[in-house]
Amino acid sequence: IRIYNATLDFSHEQFFKDLEKNELQVMYPINEYFCYGLKNDDNDDSKLKNFLNKMIQETKKGSDYRNAIHSFAFGNEGNQYATAHSYGRYQNYPNISWATRLVEVIDIFVDLEKENNIDSKIDIVIPLSYAGGQTHNQFKMLSNLVDDKPWKDRFVLGINAFNDAQTIINEMDYIV
């Protein structure tokens, strides 16, 4: 199951229990606002760290995550909304600042996993809005940024699209 947004305004405990009872999993979203908007100033990510830490506490079970958690998605459509959610601090494609920020946020998340004794290989998804060739260039940009990260084997590209899967696959094979 993919949900568009999750907040920590209330407990998701019953939601997770229901998913687990029905053997379902969720792609847990960390939307643009949290990725781009929760920065006090250029040197302070304390609000973001606080949010991510609470989210980890809610979703972890022992040294891994609950069975209900399939993956974590960073930015619903970061390539489309970075500028708006950061009040212009991070710019959308073709500027690289939106992608660089997502990678920074994931670095913070992975560091917090270590601090919380989480040893997980759960997928880290970055969803992009499908826009043909532009999406392929964005994917290459992200791949280059992720290439030297210790979590690169967890990285998965997510695609938000109205196109049928075969069209996307054919275009990806042609361009990539």
Side-chain angles (χ1 to χ4, degrees):
I1 296 174
R2 178 170 186 247
I3 54 177
Y4 191 77
N5 191 11
T7 67
L8 296 174
D9 296 338
F10 54 89
S11 172
H12 294 87
E13 182 68 24
Q14 188 60 51
F15 175 63
F16 294 143
K17 284 181 178 179
D18 290 345
L19 287 173
E20 290 164 350
K21 182 177 96 181
N22 291 294
E23 297 181 2
L24 296 171
Q25 292 183 306
V26 66
M27 179 188 297
Y28 195 100
I30 299 151
N31 84 10
E32 283 84 28
Y33 172 74
F34 299 111
C35 293
Y36 300 108
L38 280 185
K39 191 161 187 161
N40 301 347
D41 59 44
D42 287 338
N43 299 314
D44 185 3
D45 275 313
S46 60
K47 287 181 183 177
L48 174 68
K49 288 177 183 176
N50 186 45
F51 167 78
L52 290 175
N53 201 41
K54 285 180 182 176
M55 188 264 317
I56 288 170
Q57 294 303 315
E58 183 177 71
T59 57
K60 82 176 203 165
K61 188 170 191 175
S63 63
D64 206 341
Y65 292 102
R66 299 180 67 113
N67 289 334
I69 305 299
H70 174 271
S71 54
F72 290 100
F74 288 83
N76 300 329
E77 299 169 280
N79 55 326
Q80 301 296 319
Y81 298 111
T83 302
H85 287 285
S86 69
Y87 310 101
R89 184 182 296 123
Y90 302 104
Q91 299 299 307
N92 295 101
Y93 184 82
N95 189 305
I96 196 169
S97 69
W98 71 272
T100 302
R101 178 59 181 165
L102 279 181
V103 171
E104 287 174 357
V105 170
I106 295 167
D107 283 341
I108 292 167
F109 173 77
V110 170
D111 287 344
L112 288 170
E113 283 184 320
K114 289 176 189 165
E115 289 177 23
N116 282 280
N117 298 313
I118 301 282
D119 183 25
S120 180
K121 300 298 179 216
I122 201 166
D123 288 344
I124 293 172
V125 181
I126 298 178
L128 300 179
S129 295
Y130 187 73
Q134 175 179 313
T135 306
H136 308 299
N137 291 333
Q138 293 170 348
F139 177 65
K140 288 177 187 174
M141 180 190 315
L142 282 168
S143 294
N144 289 337
L145 289 171
V146 169
D147 196 43
D148 67 339
K149 296 296 180 181
W151 48 266
K152 74 176 181 179
D153 292 337
R154 297 171 65 185
F155 169 62
V156 176
L157 174 66
I159 298 177
N160 302 319
F162 292 106
N163 305 64
D164 64 271
Q166 192 58 54
T167 299
I168 296 169
I169 291 167
N170 291 344
E171 289 181 7
M172 290 288 275
D173 288 344
Y174 176 73
I175 293 176
V176 174

